[in-house]
Amino acid sequence: MKLVDLNNYILNDFDKNIFKRMTKDSEVNLNNYVCSVICDLVNFIPMGEELKKETKENIKNCDEVEVGEIATYTSLIPYVQLELKDNKDVAIIANSLVEKLISYIVGYLSKEEFDKNLENIQGMLNISYMFYDGLVKYFTFNREYIVSTIDKNIK
């Protein structure tokens, strides 16, 4: 699936706005952004080598849909920040989202809790379930690239 194919999943103006922003750049840059965020979090948060190794294994063991959900979550965080830019708690909310992402990748947050957070992001952005599903499918299609890039860049 190509990024432009997300056009077929648009149901509302919120979907359209995110789609336009995402397609201003290339697919490679979007996928690299997701990989960079995850790698930066894992590489720069103080954690032991064993935990980093486990984190890499957790990511490699994710199935296609899980990788799609992690990448969707990661790709939507900047849009939450943009949507809430006038909210005085935007930094707290964004940091909380990042902490939950890392907690899930490391294995401290359950799948159920992660899914709830993903639903919260979807609700904050008012994106349709159809568009959300399209994003997950897009990233699912790019699983190999995402996982191998993350695996190579977590030190």
Side-chain angles (χ1 to χ4, degrees), residues 31-45 47 52 55-56 59 70 74 101-102 105 145-155:
N31 294 334
N32 284 339
Y33 168 77
V34 167
C35 296
S36 280
V37 167
I38 292 170
C39 290
D40 287 350
L41 288 171
V42 174
N43 285 330
F44 298 114
I45 290 178
M47 65 174 76
K52 278 188 185 182
T55 300
K56 283 175 77 165
I59 292 169
I70 290 168
T74 306
L101 172 65
I102 256 314
I105 292 170
Y145 176 81
I146 292 168
V147 170
S148 66
T149 302
I150 291 170
D151 186 48
K152 280 190 290 191
N153 292 304
I154 291 179
K155 310 246 183 293

Side-chain angles (χ1 to χ4, degrees), residues 51-127:
L51 188 54
K52 278 188 185 182
K53 186 177 175 182
E54 286 178 37
T55 300
K56 283 175 77 165
E57 287 303 311
N58 289 345
I59 292 169
K60 287 196 291 190
N61 290 328
C62 286
D63 66 23
E64 289 85 2
V65 174
E66 288 173 309
V67 170
E69 291 169 342
I70 290 168
T72 297
Y73 186 106
T74 306
S75 72
L76 291 176
I77 291 172
Y79 297 102
V80 170
Q81 290 174 298
L82 187 61
E83 182 67 25
L84 300 176
K85 69 181 181 288
D86 296 329
N87 184 321
K88 65 181 171 96
D89 295 328
V90 66
I92 294 167
I93 294 166
N95 285 338
S96 175
L97 293 173
V98 169
E99 286 173 10
K100 289 176 180 168
L101 172 65
I102 256 314
S103 293
Y104 180 65
I105 292 170
V106 170
Y108 292 155
L109 188 70
S110 71
K111 173 83 169 109
E112 294 76 27
E113 285 296 312
F114 181 75
D115 288 345
K116 285 179 192 174
N117 287 302
L118 199 46
E119 286 177 22
N120 287 340
I121 289 174
Q122 182 184 354
M124 282 186 250
L125 296 174
N126 294 309
I127 59 176

